[in-house]
């Protein structure tokens, strides 16, 4: 079973193996627990939003242009990962590698913009220690950024596995779980953009 290719699987999610199904179920449990963590961070941010301690407010430190660019990069990366999934279902290893590389490049662009945002805010005296509002902001957005960074490391690991081992069922199973993780992060970012950036600037 370990030598089967994508032609023996449904779209990136190989079925029929109890072990594979258990791993997929376990990963869904992990994602739900992660969603609870983010829900708590969102609630904390909303409670602390007005606690600026006389410091900068959201409209003083947020940039709609930068946030929109970050959103664009992450949403496009979700599309390119979807293309990698389609290529995997067609047993096209070269295109899987190509689309994963594009996804990684877009993710790196997102991290670069987010790091620049944090660095600029800290340089202007709007670091996480300045107020409850900024502490909650850095914690929420920073936690998401750490998740994206972990996802990028995972993408590079998968690139090596796809290239060296091919599209075997175990590799496809890992690629499926990586896809769940990456799309989950996109959903969380849309929530951040909608709940944090847009209301803060409006």
């Amino acid at each position: 079973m370990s030598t089967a290719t994508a032609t023996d699987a449904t779209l990136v999610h190989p079925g029929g193996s109890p072990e594979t199904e258990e791993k997929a179920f376990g990963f869904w449990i992990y994602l739900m627990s992660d969603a609870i963590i983010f829900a708590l961070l969102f609630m904390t941010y909303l409670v602390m939003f007005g606690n600026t301690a006389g410091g900068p407010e959201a409209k003083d430190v947020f940039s709609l242009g930068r946030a929109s660019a970050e959103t664009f990069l992450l949403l496009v990366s979700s599309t390119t990962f979807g293309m990698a999934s389609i290529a995997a279902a067609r047993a096209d290893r070269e295109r899987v590698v190509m689309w994963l590389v594009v996804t990684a490049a877009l993710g790196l662009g997102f991290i670069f913009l987010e790091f620049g945002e944090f660095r600029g805010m800290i340089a202007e005296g709007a670091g996480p220690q300045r107020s409850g509002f900024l502490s909650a902001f850095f914690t929420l957005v920073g936690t998401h950024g750490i998740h994206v960074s972990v996802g990028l490391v995972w993408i590079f690991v998968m690139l090596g596995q796809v290239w060296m081992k091919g599209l075997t069922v175990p590799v496809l199973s890992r690629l499926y779980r990586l896809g769940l993780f990456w799309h989950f992060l996109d959903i969380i970012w849309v929530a951040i953009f909608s709940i944090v950036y847009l209301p803060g600037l409006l």
Side-chain angles (χ1 to χ4, degrees):
M1 193 67 178
S2 61
T3 58
T5 63
T7 55
D8 304 310
T10 56
L11 186 61
V12 182
H13 181 199
S17 168
E19 182 182 358
T20 298
E21 295 298 330
E22 287 177 6
K23 289 180 179 178
F25 177 74
F27 198 76
W28 274 108
I29 297 297
Y30 158 72
L31 287 180
M32 287 188 285
S33 67
D34 227 16
I36 292 173
I37 292 173
F38 276 107
L40 292 173
L41 292 176
F42 275 113
M43 288 191 297
T44 301
Y45 174 81
L46 292 174
V47 169
M48 301 298 290
F49 178 75
N51 297 334
T52 60
E57 299 179 359
K59 59 183 176 59
D60 301 320
V61 292
F62 292 169
S63 167
L64 183 59
R66 183 185 293 270
S68 298
E70 291 171 342
T71 303
F72 174 79
L73 288 174
L74 214 54
L75 290 180
V76 173
S77 77
S78 189
T79 302
T80 57
F81 198 102
M83 298 301 294
S85 298
I86 293 172
R90 296 174 177 172
D92 191 340
R93 183 170 63 175
E94 288 74 18
R95 286 191 178 273
V96 171
V97 170
M98 179 189 74
W99 286 116
L100 286 180
V101 168
V102 174
T103 302
L106 292 167
L108 287 170
F110 171 85
I111 291 297
F112 176 79
L113 288 178
E114 189 169 274
F115 180 78
E117 178 184 29
F118 283 3
R119 184 176 59 182
M121 290 174 65
I122 293 171
E124 294 173 3
Q129 76 284 356
R130 181 63 182 84
S131 66
F133 155 65
L134 289 170
S135 294
F137 168 78
F138 274 89
T139 302
L140 171 58
V141 179
T143 299
H144 178 269
I146 290 171
H147 277 69
V148 173
S149 299
V150 170
L152 286 170
V153 172
W154 194 353
I155 288 176
F156 287 120
V157 170
M158 288 307 306
L159 277 168
Q161 291 194 1
V162 170
W163 189 255
M164 298 296 294
K165 298 181 178 181
L167 297 174
T168 63
V169 167
V171 171
L172 286 173
S173 177
R174 296 178 199 120
L175 189 62
Y176 168 74
R177 295 194 295 275
L178 173 57
L180 291 177
F181 183 72
W182 196 257
H183 296 312
F184 169 77
L185 295 181
D186 288 345
I187 293 171
I188 295 297
W189 180 257
V190 170
I192 290 175
F193 183 76
S194 303
I195 295 173
V196 175
Y197 286 99
L198 286 183
L201 289 167
L202 296 177

